[in-house]
Amino acid sequence: MANIESPMSLGSKSISRLLVQYSVPAIIASVATSLYNIIDSIFIGRGVGPMAIAGLAITFPMMNLVVAFCTLIAAGGATITSIFMGQKNIPRATDVVNNVMVLCLINSAVFGGLSLIFLDDILLFFGATEETISYAREFMTIILYGTPITYVFIGLNNLMRATGYPKKAMISALISVGVNIILAPIFIFKLKWGIAGAALATLCGQSVAFVWVLIHFFSKSSFIHFQRNNRWFTPAIIKRIYAIGLSPFLMNVCACVVVVFINKALLDTAGSAGNMAVGAYGIINRTTMFFVMIVFGVTQGMQPILGFNFGANNWDRVKRTLKLGMLCGFTITTLGFILTECFPNTISRLFTTDPTLIDIARRGFRIYFSFYSVVGIQIVIQNFFQSIGKPKLSIFLSLTRQLLFLIPFLLILPKYYGTDGVWASMCGSDILAFLLAIGTLYVMNRRLNKHFSNLQPSQNN
């Protein structure tokens, strides 16, 4: 199928075929990225040491903030681009691409610059100790200098997928990961650059992918591309981008806050093994994100289908896409539950040979992943509301899971159950968030059914 026809097929092609067409490339890209993060952690753990793993874990909230200020633009831009295309408003969709480029550069300069100025203070607040701060500082300094490249790459890659090029978006991610995996062992083991080598390899990979994405959007053969005569800074579009992007932004900010609480709770409850407990959480977090990123691949594939058909008033196709997405999400996280419950030691040994670290991680896997199966459904529902332009509901579900449920658990359970209480807090919040997401979807489904029953769908294939 020619690329110029691909976006319009979102309103007519079989839902299952579309989900495969858009989700499989996104899943491949997500898996590649997750595998890189895991492999990178393995390189750091085995090439630098267990304290470097703990230092890397300290950077997780900072990395969540980096992603937050990027997805604020990328997710909002991709969603409204799909909606405009569903409405056959191609000039407006092109305006969005131009605006996303400008906003990515502005956000990266502001966030990256301020973070570099206050980096040590931020890392200490996130739980860094005298033993781990040097590793965390070395890694984040390089990452922050590269934020303009990172932001433009991620922002435009999301738009590439939303405008009908899921395979090219996948290739972008694979380029970034491939360069990364090749250079990381060279920088870490051969050149002895330590954790800084891992960060530099990450930046090199994103730089190559950045060039690839720019070539696509400067090419006039692309369905949507940069046009000099279109608007590059449009207040109405910027407002909508930020309104919709606020949900994933807050989700990542909440994740940052939550990691701070988790790190501090582990340092408080694990005593002399506090840094090791933080390192164990780093291993668990990397593993968790592997499965979460696969689910995100599904939701990224769903996003253009949902946005296009919602904009075109094809409510039946929207509902079918959601049901299939929920089934995929459940299957993915159920696989995560099975693997982590059956092989926690094997997974832990991939990252380290330290017996204390392995022992703490094994216990954490067993408790945290007890009800992990339902996480996939919750993520799909949350992203569903974002994809159809209902950011308030998506924000609500994000905040309840990561703040209203998890933080109270973290303040209470560790006092009675120590480190086990930290792992149990994450498990408990996932269960409550799932139940709330199901209830919210039920209520909104009834309202939207009533709304769309009064409209004549443009297509209902």
Side-chain angles (χ1 to χ4, degrees):
M1 180 179 292
N3 278 329
I4 196 166
E5 297 176 353
S6 297
M8 297 302 106
S9 71
L10 290 166
S12 57
K13 197 173 179 179
S14 162
I15 293 295
S16 58
R17 289 181 64 189
L18 281 172
L19 198 58
V20 170
Q21 179 184 338
Y22 278 80
S23 288
V24 169
I27 290 171
I28 291 172
S30 296
V31 168
T33 302
S34 298
L35 283 175
Y36 160 69
N37 288 329
I38 291 172
I39 292 170
D40 198 38
S41 296
I42 292 171
F43 288 154
I44 292 170
R46 291 181 173 269
V48 188
M51 280 299 112
I53 284 283
L56 187 65
I58 293 299
T59 69
F60 289 166
M62 192 81 181
M63 291 297 290
N64 282 330
L65 282 180
V66 171
V67 173
F69 281 91
C70 184
T71 55
L72 179 61
I73 303 162
T79 298
I80 65 173
T81 299
S82 297
I83 292 173
F84 281 140
M85 290 173 64
Q87 296 168 346
K88 308 296 191 293
N89 194 344
I90 305 305
R92 202 64 166 165
T94 304
D95 284 341
V96 175
V97 178
N98 293 359
N99 278 260
V100 164
M101 175 75 166
V102 173
L103 292 176
C104 281
L105 291 172
I106 293 173
N107 269 28
S108 63
V110 173
F111 173 75
L114 289 175
S115 298
L116 282 167
I117 293 172
F118 301 104
L119 183 56
D120 273 20
D121 293 331
I122 295 170
L123 293 174
L124 288 170
F125 176 76
F126 287 161
T129 64
E130 290 183 3
E131 294 86 357
T132 60
I133 191 168
S134 61
Y135 296 109
R137 182 197 304 118
E138 202 171 358
F139 185 84
M140 283 310 306
T141 298
I142 295 172
I143 295 297
L144 290 171
Y145 274 119
T147 49
I149 291 172
T150 303
Y151 278 32
V152 173
F153 159 54
I154 295 176
L156 294 184
N157 204 49
N158 274 264
L159 291 181
M160 186 185 287
R161 183 181 299 106
T163 55
Y165 297 87
K167 290 182 180 178
K168 289 190 76 172
M170 173 192 71
I171 292 172
S172 304
L174 292 178
I175 289 172
S176 174
V177 171
V179 172
N180 224 325
I181 290 177
I182 292 170
L183 293 180
I186 295 174
F187 291 168
I188 294 173
F189 294 104
K190 188 172 182 62
L191 298 179
K192 306 295 183 182
W193 289 351
I195 199 168
L200 188 58
T202 298
L203 183 56
C204 288
Q206 290 178 348
S207 297
V208 177
F210 162 82
V211 174
W212 163 267
V213 171
L214 282 184
I215 290 172
H216 169 84
F217 279 103
F218 276 111
S219 172
K220 292 184 179 180
S221 64
S222 299
F223 188 80
I224 299 290
H225 56 270
F226 292 126
Q227 295 185 25
R228 186 179 300 175
N229 296 331
N230 283 69
R231 299 177 179 179
W232 291 81
F233 200 84
T234 312
I237 288 178
I238 292 171
K239 182 179 179 181
R240 289 191 68 182
I241 288 175
Y242 280 125
I244 295 174
L246 192 61
S247 170
F249 169 78
L250 289 178
M251 182 177 71
N252 282 286
V253 170
C254 288
C256 166
V257 173
V258 163
V259 171
V260 174
F261 275 87
I262 291 172
N263 285 342
K264 290 187 178 298
L266 290 171
L267 288 169
D268 290 341
T269 58
S272 59
N275 284 325
M276 286 294 188
V278 171
Y281 173 60
I283 293 173
I284 293 169
N285 196 356
R286 285 295 196 213
T287 308
T288 300
M289 288 308 298
F290 175 76
F291 297 102
V292 168
M293 288 297 288
I294 300 176
V295 179
F296 280 164
V298 174
T299 62
Q300 287 171 357
M302 292 171 60
Q303 181 271 314
I305 307 170
L306 291 169
F308 186 101
N309 286 285
F310 190 81
N313 296 328
N314 287 333
W315 178 234
D316 183 61
R317 289 175 64 81
V318 171
K319 289 194 294 183
R320 279 186 277 157
T321 304
L322 173 62
K323 289 178 182 177
L324 192 54
M326 289 171 63
L327 177 61
C328 291
F330 174 76
T331 302
I332 292 163
T333 47
T334 297
L335 178 62
F337 160 74
I338 294 170
L339 291 176
T340 54
E341 290 295 323
C342 294
F343 308 106
N345 279 5
T346 303
I347 296 172
S348 299
R349 288 195 184 100
L350 291 174
F351 296 87
T352 182
T353 57
D354 188 283
T356 302
L357 192 52
I358 292 171
D359 186 59
I360 298 173
R362 179 184 65 247
R363 182 73 174 172
F365 274 124
R366 287 271 165 78
I367 298 173
Y368 172 54
F369 277 83
S370 298
F371 291 89
Y372 194 65
S373 294
V374 301
V375 172
I377 296 175
Q378 194 275 338
I379 292 172
V380 170
I381 294 174
Q382 178 181 311
N383 281 271
F384 162 73
F385 289 121
Q386 175 191 316
S387 297
I388 64 171
K390 303 287 183 185
K392 291 182 180 178
L393 285 174
S394 185
I395 292 169
F396 169 67
L397 294 178
S398 175
L399 290 178
T400 51
R401 180 190 180 207
Q402 300 193 73
L403 290 183
L404 298 183
F405 294 151
L406 180 53
I407 289 182
F409 276 140
L410 286 171
L411 293 175
I412 297 171
L413 294 184
K415 291 182 178 180
Y416 299 97
Y417 302 104
T419 304
D420 284 353
V422 179
W423 311 130
S425 296
M426 292 186 274
C427 176
S429 68
D430 284 341
I431 296 170
L432 293 182
F434 161 73
L435 294 174
L436 181 64
I438 290 293
T440 304
L441 180 63
Y442 175 77
V443 173
M444 285 305 301
N445 186 54
R446 295 186 62 180
R447 293 182 184 178
L448 290 171
N449 274 332
K450 188 176 297 184
H451 169 74
F452 280 98
S453 65
N454 298 321
L455 299 175
Q456 179 65 39
S458 57
Q459 278 185 315
N460 196 19
N461 296 317

